[in-house]
Every structure is written in C-alpha cells, then in structure tokens.
Amino acid sequence: MSGRGNKAGAGGGDDTVIRIPPHYYIHVLDLKTNVTKPIIGPETFVRQDNEKVVEGPTKMVIIPPNHYCVVANPVMRDEEGEVQFDQYGQAKLLHADQEVRLTQEPFPLYPGETLDVKVTKLRAVPTNTALRLRAIADFTDADGTKRWAHDEWLFTGPGTYLPHKFVEVVETIRASIISPNQALRLRALKACKDQQGKDRVCGEEWLINKTGAYLPGAYEQVVGFISAYVLTENIALHLEALQSYKDRFGVNRKSGEQWLITIKDSEAFIPDVHENVIQVVNISTLTNRQYCVILDPMGDDGKNKLGQRKLIKGEKSFFLQPGERLEAGIQDVHILGEDEAIIVKAVLPFTDNGVERQPGNLWMIRGACEFIPTVEMEIIDRRKAMPLDENEGIYVRDIKTGKVRAVVGQTYVLNQDEELWDKPLPEQIEKLLSAEVDPLADRTARAHNKESKSRLKHKVVTYRVPHNAAAQIYDYKAKRARVVFGPDLVMLAPDEHFTQLSLSGGKPKRPNCIRSLCLLLGPDFMTDIITVETSDHARLALQLSYNWHFEYSQDSADHASALFAVPDFVGDACKALASRIRGAVAAVPFDDFHRNSARIIRTSVFGLDENMKVKENFKFAANRLVITNVDIQSVEPVDQRTRDSLQKSVQLAIEITTNSQEASARHEAERLEQQAKGKLERQKIHDEAEAEKARTELLKLQSLSAAVESTGQAKAEAQSRAESLKIEGQAAVEQAQLKAEAQNIEAENELKRINDARKGELDYISATNSLEVEKAQKMSEIETSKFKDMVSTLGPENIAKIATSGHDNQLAMLQALGLQSTLITDGSTPLNLFSTAKGLVGALPPPDQ
C-alpha cells in the first residue's frame, strides 16, 4: 500500500509501473508517434520503452453541485458527446476557445486542455438583485435570443446564474426601494425600451413613482431619488419648465414657462424631470389692518403685466404668482392721530374726491383717520406735530421760495411745501454749545473733558447767558448786532450768529487760551507774572493779581457795544498794567523796591491825584474796564546771585531759630527724665512690699494643702477598693444574664429556621401541585378546543361522509361493475343460501323495468 501511494504521488516519467488510483489520470507520450494520450485510473500502467509519462498521476477535475469551471482549449466532441481524435489518435482541440463545464462526473484534462477558471461556486442572485451581463462576441442564447457583441442585459433574481463563455458579468445591480411620496429618477444610457415598453432615447430622463422595489434595466442609470413636496394650505411650489412638454395635469408647458402648484392641484407633488422647483412659496396673509402692493401682477391670460401695480387689502390670503413681488412687503394700514399727517405724491393722473391730481403733485392728508395709498400715489413722508415750548423752536424752510423762518412756542406740523432746515455753525461755536460748560464756575478751565452732545441742527439754537454776563449776537442779513445781558435766554434767528470771545490765559498770560460765548462783567480777578528790572539791574519776577469789573448801563446801547470793543480785554489790560509797573520799578534800586514794593506797584498802576494820594482805581475808556486793586502774591529774583544771597540769609535765620528751639527742647527733656526716675523708684518699693505679702499667703496655702492631701489619699484608696469589688459583682451578674439571653436567642432562631424551612417546602409543594393542576386544565382545554376546531373545520357533512366512506366506496365500485347485489365471504363460515337467495331474487326488479 505504501509503495502504491508513492507511485501515485510520483510525477516523474522514469518509473516502469505506475499505479493510478481512482479519479486520477496520467498523460503518456508515445515517442514514436509523438502522440500524447490520457490514461485514466484505477489502473496499473506499465510503461513501454517508447513511452514517457509527461504528467501525473493528477487528480481528475471534480465539480460539486452548484459549481463550475472554465476549460481553455477544450477537446472537440461529437453529437453524442464523445471525444474526437485525429488520424494519429491525438484528441482534437478547439484552440483559443473556452468551455464552461457544470456539475458532472469527474473528468480528466486531455493533453492541451487547461483550467482557465478553477472550480468556483455558481453565483446565486437573490431577490431584488440582478447581474448586468455583456456579450463579448456574437452568439445565440439558449432561449434562441440573438446576442451581438457588447450587447447588455440583466439576469434578475432569484436564481442561479450559469456562466457562458461569450458573456461577462459587468456588475451587480440592486433594486432601489421607492418609498411613498418618493420617485426614482432614471436616465437612458442608449436608445432602449423601459420596463413599461416605452421607447427611450439616449440621455432621456424619466421618473418611476410606483411604490416598491424597482430594478433598473441594463441601459438605465439611476440618477437619484426625488422626494415629494408636501403642500398645505400655507405652502405652494413655484415651478419652471425646462423644455416644452405636457405635464401630468394635461397642460402643455413651454420652455421657460413658470406656474404655481397649490394643494388644490396636489397634496404631495413630485416635480417631473422637465420641471425645476424655483422656490417654496409661503402664503401671504393680510389682516383687516394690513395691505400690500404687488408689482408686475399676473393677468387673466396668465401673463405678467409688467410695470403695473396692484393693491390688495385685508382680510385676505393669497400666493404670489410667478413673476410677482411685493413692493414693500406686507404693510400696516396707516393710522393717523390728530397730531399726525402724511405727505402723498401722485405718480399717475387720477381724480381724488373730485380733485384732479397730476403726476408730481404733493398734498397732505391729516389725521385722525385710516389711510391706505392707492396705486396712483406714493407716500413721501409721515410727519408728526412738534409741540414747542416758549423757549423751543425749529427752523422751517419753504422748498418753493427757499425762505427760512423760525417757529417758536407752538405746536407745528410741516406741510407738503416745508422742510426742516439745519442751521450751520462754526466748529468752535458748536463745541462751546455742546460742551455745556458753566462760563462762571469753569472760567479758569483750559480743557474741558466733558463729552459733547450732538446738537439737533434743525432746532433753534439757544444759549443761557449767566448772571452778570453779556453775549453779543450779530445778524449778517440785517448787518447789526445786539447785546443780551444775563440772566437771559438767547434764541438765534436763521441769519444770526454768536460773537466768540478769545481771551488770554495762563501765567504769564498767553493769547487764545480761553474761548467763550459770553463776557463776564465782574467783579473778578486775573493773575499775571511779569519780569521787572531795578535801577541797579536786579531782575525780579512778580506774580500780581488784579481785581476788575466793567462799568456799564444796560439801557445804554453805547455802553453795550463798548463792552465788546476790545476782543481780548484780559491780554490788553495785563500788557498795559505790566508796562506801567516796569517803568516805575526801573527808577528805584533793589533795596528800596524790596522795602516799598506794594507802594511802588500801586502808585504805578493807579497813579496819584491832586493831593499826591494813590487813586482808588484805574479805568480803560475803550471798553469801560475798571481795575480796583493790585495784590502782590510773590516776588522772586530772576538773577541767580541775588537768589543765592537771599537764600543764605533765609537759611541763617532758620538755623538760629532751630538752635534755640533745640536748646529749650533739650532742657524740657532732662526735666521730664528726672521726674520719671523718681516715680520709677517709688513704684519699685511699693511692688516689693506687695510681693512679700503675696509670699506669706502662699506659704499658708501650701501648708493647708499638704494636710488635706495626706487625709484624702487614704480615704480615696478605701473608696476605690469598695467600688472595684462592687463593679466586679455587677459584671458577673450581667454576664450570667447575657449568657442566658444568648442561649434563649439561639434556641428561638433555630426553631424559627426549622419552621421557615418547613413552611418554604410546603409552599413549594403547593405551588408545584397548583402548576400541575393548571397545566392539566390548560392541556384539556387545548385538546377540547383543538377537537372543536377540527369538528367545526370539517363540518357535520364531511364527518358523516368520512364515517360512511368505506361503504360508499364499495357501493360505487359495485355500481361501476354493474352488480346490483353481492355477497362476500371468507369461505370458512357456512351460509344458508336458500333463504338468502329468495331475498336476493325478490329484490331484483322485473325485467321490463
């Protein structure tokens, strides 16, 4: 056995005896004829000298059920399936051909045959699946269908696909599941017929909206799914035709035509392949207080009236047709109060309550009323009455004449020919008005950090002139000025402007530091720093403060105009006074000026009267400014040497004063130190006496404590022994009681456990019995119901027929044989045929019957 196995597994050609097992074969080459033939086992092959084993032993090709293989260069067979050989005994081959072989008996491969496709399981095509097949050569199918090269078709499941040598599987196609309110969009890959038998051209698209599974054809391409648009009372679809066609409602549509689909047409709409959904249109709902204007409305012929407008008033609900749009959306009815009005402009000629209106005409509609503009007019503006206090006003401009006037202290509504006029002011004046700076309290401020509020330029410009101040207003149209004295409110006319004051400020004075709209009339003061030089060339810096005020009469126009004659009265006055002081100081030496500085400065400023006394004031005639006093705040040398000598003298005086103060302080400190030492010694003596008293008391207490300690120790030991014995006795009693209780508890727990176990066993047996009884009852009920169902299903007639079926069959058989009566016996039981024959004969009918 082992030798046979080795021979069967050997593939060389040198063995003389080759044992071929069953289902194995070898190829033997005849070296004389050069012909190769197969030898099929089981067989013991004895190789001749002129023979050579070129292959094998090789296992035959075994194709199980539902499998196949493809053999290349197959042998030729006759009509009976036998292999054909040539004149030399060589098997004929179909070169460059293939043969698909299915389940059959194991077979060998003849010389020249090869397995192009090994044994492979046949492809099972499930339901809703298909194989897309393509012909690679012209052939006739098994059902007689002529197939041309590159033809494609489907093999639909369920089924098992049997391969063909001229057919290749392109792909597996699965059915598309079409849900309700859904459609499948298909495209034809070439001219074909769809599954409904309709001819389709290449590139044509169509929809399949039948619910269920759809398996596309070989030349059908699935573009995608299209979901239906669910239309409601509030939603519609705006569609556009991509080409001319007839829609599902039987209406001929032209390319580019647009229309609307509402719930009246369809509850769920699936757009066709020739339709494009432009947008989902929501319903427009107007209440009884709303209206709208539609541009390019659709006419009765279904076409838009371009350039026209249509007014729709509520209550109403509608969809915008294709090409229509709302001019300004849904608008509320204009409800005008008694203090409101609307400016309306005519855009088309029409008659308004008997009045002819031409395009461009303006008119006003006053409240109280409700107003809806028609399509022949448009609303230009909505105006409301402006209630104005007696200190408030607005600038109004007539658009026809251009005249500007101020309306003050009344409730006013601009008519159709009027508009609000913005009064321009210089930027600096705008800042001063919006800064809201108090001219009196903030007169020394150089920079205002307050936020400026923007001014409504159409309102009349107002300015509050504070007390003891004046403001000048100039009318450029009338070319005259007026002065307003405070406290008062200035209201500018359309052609009036403020006179801005630009005053000097700082120390020393610099021009244009203080800007204001009003002139403070004093009394007030101004401070300046000037540099003077004495006759001995000592230069000094003087800080002087001047008290001033204006002398005027409000009833005098000359006085009022003179107040603003000098634009910068501060700088002008300080320069004039500084010049007078420099001239006076230059005539005296430094020592005289140092001793008599106040007299020299006052004399230079105010001058001397006839009695050689200093005058009380100094008056500027140009603007009626009066200087009433001069205060010398500081005198500092400008020269460094003079400043050093003055500093040394001051330091020497300070040093002398400091030394005297240090000596007096030292004497006082020594006196206080002696007093403190005496008090300290007295306190020490007193503390030592108190300490001795405390030490005596401590010794007494220590002796008393020792006595108490000796007596208390013995008593405590006796009490502790008694308490110990008492505690031990009580512990023994409690221990005995606890042991008894523990034994009692253990006995009760054991009894309870036994009772619980027996009770649980009884409950289990009872429950098991109950389940058995219930099971028996239910089985009996099931058998009873089963029998009843069988009886009711068969019926009484069928049961009766089943019971008599044996006799009926015998009767039918006898009738078929033409016998009217018969007697069947087993041959062993004797019968009385005399009486029986009479009955049988008597039972026969007469011959004539």
Side-chain angles (χ1 to χ4, degrees), residues 82-373:
E82 298 295 332
V83 178
Q84 297 183 5
F85 296 92
D86 58 8
Q87 57 184 347
Y88 303 105
Q90 181 74 39
K92 295 182 178 180
L93 301 179
L94 296 173
H95 294 283
D97 198 357
Q98 290 181 336
E99 180 182 354
V100 178
R101 297 181 183 180
L102 302 177
T103 301
Q104 54 183 286
E105 293 294 329
F107 62 90
L109 291 178
Y110 281 83
E113 290 184 332
T114 58
L115 275 180
D116 198 359
V117 177
K118 295 182 179 180
V119 177
T120 305
K121 188 175 182 179
L122 293 173
R123 183 178 297 183
V125 182
T127 306
N128 295 331
T129 308
L131 296 179
R132 185 177 177 184
L133 307 179
R134 180 187 295 160
I136 60 177
D138 299 342
F139 74 100
T140 302
D141 208 342
D143 55 359
T145 303
K146 182 67 176 178
R147 304 289 186 186
W148 304 96
H150 294 289
D151 274 357
E152 294 184 359
W153 66 98
L154 296 182
F155 177 81
T156 58
T160 301
Y161 171 68
L162 301 179
H164 193 279
K165 63 180 181 179
F166 295 131
V167 179
E168 64 176 353
V169 178
V170 179
E171 62 177 340
T172 301
I173 301 176
R174 291 177 174 81
S176 300
I177 306 302
I178 304 175
S179 304
N181 293 333
Q182 198 177 46
L184 186 65
R185 185 168 184 172
L186 302 177
R187 181 187 293 125
L189 299 177
K190 63 178 292 186
C192 63
K193 284 188 178 182
D194 61 9
Q195 297 185 9
Q196 287 77 26
K198 187 175 181 180
D199 292 329
R200 302 291 182 181
V201 298
C202 181
E204 182 181 357
E205 295 185 358
W206 68 97
L207 296 181
I208 302 296
N209 51 15
K210 183 179 179 181
T211 303
Y214 181 81
L215 196 62
Y219 298 112
E220 296 176 356
Q221 179 185 4
V222 176
V223 179
F225 286 93
I226 299 178
S227 299
Y229 290 88
V230 179
L231 305 180
T232 64
E233 298 290 342
N234 300 325
I235 297 177
L237 286 181
H238 185 183
L239 302 180
E240 180 183 12
L242 300 178
Q243 66 181 38
S244 299
Y245 77 107
K246 180 182 288 187
D247 63 9
R248 69 190 64 184
F249 305 110
V251 180
N252 292 320
R253 302 292 184 183
K254 295 182 179 180
S255 178
E257 181 181 354
Q258 298 181 3
W259 69 98
L260 202 67
I261 297 294
T262 63
I263 193 174
K264 296 180 181 178
D265 302 318
S266 176
E267 293 182 356
F269 182 79
I270 300 176
D272 197 73
V273 294
H274 306 304
E275 298 171 348
N276 178 34
V277 178
I278 297 178
Q279 63 177 346
V280 178
V281 181
N282 295 320
I283 195 170
S284 300
T285 303
L286 302 178
T287 64
N288 57 357
R289 317 298 296 170
Q290 292 178 329
Y291 74 97
C292 67
V293 177
I294 298 178
L295 301 179
D296 303 333
M298 184 170 288
D300 298 334
D301 56 352
K303 297 181 180 180
N304 295 97
K305 298 179 179 179
L306 301 179
Q308 296 189 14
R309 303 163 73 232
K310 180 180 179 181
L311 176 65
I312 298 180
K313 301 179 182 179
E315 294 179 357
K316 191 172 183 181
S317 296
F318 63 94
F319 290 104
L320 287 176
Q321 297 294 329
E324 294 181 344
R325 64 185 189 278
L326 296 179
E327 185 177 32
I330 297 175
Q331 306 177 57
D332 295 331
V333 174
H334 298 276
I335 301 176
L336 303 180
E338 295 181 353
D339 58 343
E340 292 180 319
I342 287 181
I343 306 300
V344 182
K345 178 181 179 181
V347 295
L348 295 174
F350 72 103
T351 302
D352 181 19
N353 296 327
V355 180
E356 293 292 334
R357 304 288 186 185
Q358 296 298 324
N361 287 352
L362 296 174
W363 69 98
M364 177 183 287
I365 298 176
R366 297 179 180 269
C369 66
E370 293 182 358
F371 177 71
I372 298 178

Side-chain angles (χ1 to χ4, degrees), residues 823 830-840:
L823 178 64
L831 297 175
N832 186 1
L833 297 178
F834 294 99
S835 58
T836 303
K838 186 184 293 185
L840 293 174

Side-chain angles (χ1 to χ4, degrees), residues 13-25:
D14 297 336
D15 297 332
T16 303
V17 178
I18 300 174
R19 295 177 176 83
I20 305 174
H23 301 303
Y24 279 79
Y25 68 94

Side-chain angles (χ1 to χ4, degrees), residues 683-702:
Q683 186 66 33
K684 283 183 178 180
I685 296 170
H686 182 269
D687 291 342
E688 289 177 356
E690 293 294 331
E692 289 297 330
K693 291 180 181 180
R695 191 177 294 109
T696 304
E697 293 293 332
L698 175 62
L699 293 174
K700 291 180 181 180
L701 292 174
Q702 285 179 351

Side-chain angles (χ1 to χ4, degrees), residues 549 551 605-607 614-619 626-629:
H549 69 274
E551 285 186 352
V605 172
F606 298 114
V614 180
K615 295 181 180 180
E616 297 295 331
N617 55 43
F618 177 74
K619 183 176 181 181
V626 178
I627 305 298
T628 59
N629 189 23

